[in-house]
Amino acid sequence: ELKVEQNPLFLSMQEGKNYTIYCNYSTTSDRLYWYRQDPGKSLESLFVLLSNGAVKQEGRLMASLDTKARLSTLHITAAVHDLSATYFCAGIEYSGGGADGLTFGKGTHLIIQP
Amino acid sequence: DVKVTQSSRYLVKRTGEKVFLECVQDMDHENMFWYRQDPGLGLRLIYFSYDVKMKEKGDIPEGYSVSREKKERFSLILESASTNQTSMYLCASIAGGTYNEQFFGPGTRLTVL
């Protein structure tokens, strides 16, 4: 059974600083997902990481995947207030029928202060 | 650019009522999912479906059932709503074969009184 752990669960940082959110997972996951959620809203897809060594970047966010270490990271560069949100990572398991749904970490509540 | 829609954004029901939550996707996806999200517990999978008329239990199926009569529509049913089913319910879909991006609907915030 896939388990996903994120840390930290809460992060307060200043604008302009860099930081990293970590996502560990327990068993093989062929994909690793990162989502953003604003208060009261649904989940917005940020990245889908497909293979070992995958790195994707969008603006000030960069995600990477190390399948051997079962670790994904979401790095924030020169944070700005607009990035304040809750960030989730998730893995996926497959069975014979198809996709069995995502298993999510608890989420990292990120607050970026001026 | 609508991808996944849910029938209601907010819903208030009474204990014991039968509740239907509807989800429709316009991407011809085979796989559809229902999650609930609660503070401190994160997102948990209730039921999912690989194809029409197929359904599988997720991690927390108790008190729920589902229906998938058409490919684009996946319904979540609370047979007899209880206060502990007050939650945010999120529907999602993903294409078969590629297993790439999973799209989420806007969510339904259900309150059971």
Side-chain angles (χ1 to χ4, degrees):
Chain A
E1 180 187 346
L2 176 63
K3 293 188 188 304
V4 178
E5 285 191 9
Q6 276 179 250
N7 68 84
L9 299 183
F10 181 82
L11 178 58
S12 178
M13 55 192 292
Q14 286 187 312
E15 280 191 325
K17 300 289 188 183
N18 304 332
Y19 209 81
T20 300
I21 299 171
Y22 298 89
C23 177
N24 291 92
Y25 54 98
S26 61
T27 64
T28 300
S29 178
D30 288 317
R31 306 282 186 271
L32 200 291
Y33 298 78
W34 284 96
Y35 288 90
R36 167 182 173 146
Q37 187 177 39
D38 292 299
K41 302 289 181 66
S42 187
L43 277 74
E44 174 192 353
S45 178
L46 294 175
F47 302 108
V48 181
L49 301 170
L50 304 181
S51 60
N52 189 43
V55 177
K56 289 193 174 181
Q57 183 161 7
E58 181 74 34
R60 300 174 188 275
L61 301 178
M62 184 174 71
S64 65
L65 179 62
D66 180 345
T67 58
K68 293 179 183 177
R70 295 180 183 162
L71 172 68
S72 180
T73 60
L74 180 67
H75 187 72
I76 303 155
T77 301
V80 293
H81 179 69
D82 286 352
L83 291 178
S84 297
T86 299
Y87 293 86
F88 291 92
C89 66
I92 192 166
E93 291 182 288
Y94 307 128
S95 66
D100 287 357
L102 298 184
T103 299
F104 286 84
K106 291 276 196 293
T108 297
H109 184 51
L110 174 64
I111 295 177
I112 299 170
Q113 302 184 18
Chain B
D1 190 33
V2 173
K3 292 184 170 64
V4 182
T5 58
Q6 295 182 227
S7 51
S8 305
R9 293 298 305 274
Y10 300 93
L11 208 52
V12 180
K13 295 291 181 181
R14 297 208 174 272
T15 301
E17 282 192 78
K18 191 168 186 176
V19 182
F20 293 87
L21 303 182
E22 303 284 338
C23 174
V24 177
Q25 50 94 4
D26 63 1
M27 295 166 285
D28 201 35
H29 285 172
E30 287 81 2
N31 302 279
M32 296 187 74
F33 309 87
W34 276 105
Y35 299 87
R36 65 178 280 178
Q37 184 177 24
D38 301 286
L41 296 176
L43 284 96
R44 294 176 292 168
L45 182 64
I46 306 171
Y47 265 97
F48 58 103
S49 169
Y50 299 133
D51 205 343
V52 176
K53 297 201 184 292
M54 295 183 70
K55 58 185 179 183
E56 298 286 341
K57 293 180 180 179
D59 299 320
I60 51 163
E62 296 78 19
Y64 304 95
S65 63
V66 290
S67 171
R68 192 158 181 211
E69 296 297 319
K70 293 185 178 181
K71 190 176 185 180
E72 67 271 18
R73 188 180 298 270
F74 192 35
S75 302
L76 180 69
I77 303 155
L78 287 66
E79 295 290 342
S80 178
S82 63
T83 55
N84 62 12
Q85 292 179 309
T86 292
S87 185
M88 168 73 96
Y89 289 88
L90 292 162
C91 174
S93 72
I94 191 169
T98 56
Y99 303 116
N100 286 334
E101 189 172 359
Q102 184 172 77
F103 294 92
F104 280 84
T108 296
R109 185 164 293 283
L110 172 67
T111 301
V112 183
L113 302 175

